[in-house]
Amino acid sequence: MGYASKEDIDKLYGTDLLVRVADYNKDGTPDPDVIERGLEAADEICDAYLSAQYTIPVVPTPGVVKNCAIDIAVYKMALGRGSRTDEMRLRYEDALTLLEKISTGKVGLGLPPVTGDDGTTIDPNTKRSGRSFDCGRA
């Protein structure tokens, strides 16, 4: 399970965008393998940032992470088509900036606590235990 899906991209941006960025064989429909590669690339980038503070994958997926994954996937798909726009690049860069802030603890995930079947409450916003390694200290 990834942070975003084809349906999420469709819902946010519409099928026309998917055709523009993921129809490599030019048959009028988005190529499933192109979409899959774009979403996998987005998951890898999100995980790289999120792993600095959280156990990955982060489940349930926070809306903020889903939106980042969508914008990253769209940008990655558009690279192969040569159809990326300045707006796509800006959204991609904004997604990376937000993930950077999450990875450094400046921005949280914003998820509500979840109550399990056994009645225990789990806080999905809990950061990993331990401290980051600071190479500057002697």
Side-chain angles (χ1 to χ4, degrees):
M1 181 193 126
Y3 293 117
S5 66
K6 174 192 177 290
E7 292 74 25
D8 293 328
I9 298 171
D10 252 346
K11 185 176 179 181
L12 188 60
Y13 292 120
T15 304
D16 290 343
L17 176 83
L18 270 174
V19 170
R20 246 184 23 235
V21 300
D23 181 18
Y24 285 27
N25 63 10
K26 300 182 182 185
D27 67 354
T29 60
D31 301 341
D33 59 320
V34 173
I35 295 170
E36 184 179 333
R37 284 194 311 269
L39 290 169
E40 285 175 0
D43 287 346
E44 290 170 2
I45 291 169
C46 289
D47 279 345
Y49 280 98
L50 295 171
S51 67
Q53 292 287 342
Y54 302 95
T55 301
I56 55 170
V58 177
V59 179
T61 301
V64 68
V65 174
K66 180 188 295 187
N67 288 336
C68 288
I70 290 169
D71 289 335
I72 292 167
V74 167
Y75 183 79
K76 292 294 188 178
M77 287 184 275
L79 285 174
R81 259 314 276 258
S83 62
R84 82 174 176 263
T85 63
D86 287 339
E87 180 182 353
M88 287 177 196
R89 181 189 47 77
L90 183 60
R91 289 179 181 272
Y92 172 76
E93 291 172 356
D94 287 348
L96 296 182
T97 299
L98 182 54
L99 288 169
E100 172 70 21
K101 288 179 181 179
I102 292 170
S103 76
T104 59
K106 292 180 182 175
V107 174
L109 297 177
L111 291 172
V114 177
T115 303
D117 293 336
D118 60 357
T120 59
T121 301
I122 302 165
D123 184 0
N125 301 300
T126 303
K127 296 178 185 179
R128 294 167 62 167
S129 60
R131 299 174 59 149
S132 62
F133 182 71
D134 184 355
C135 295
R137 294 186 180 172

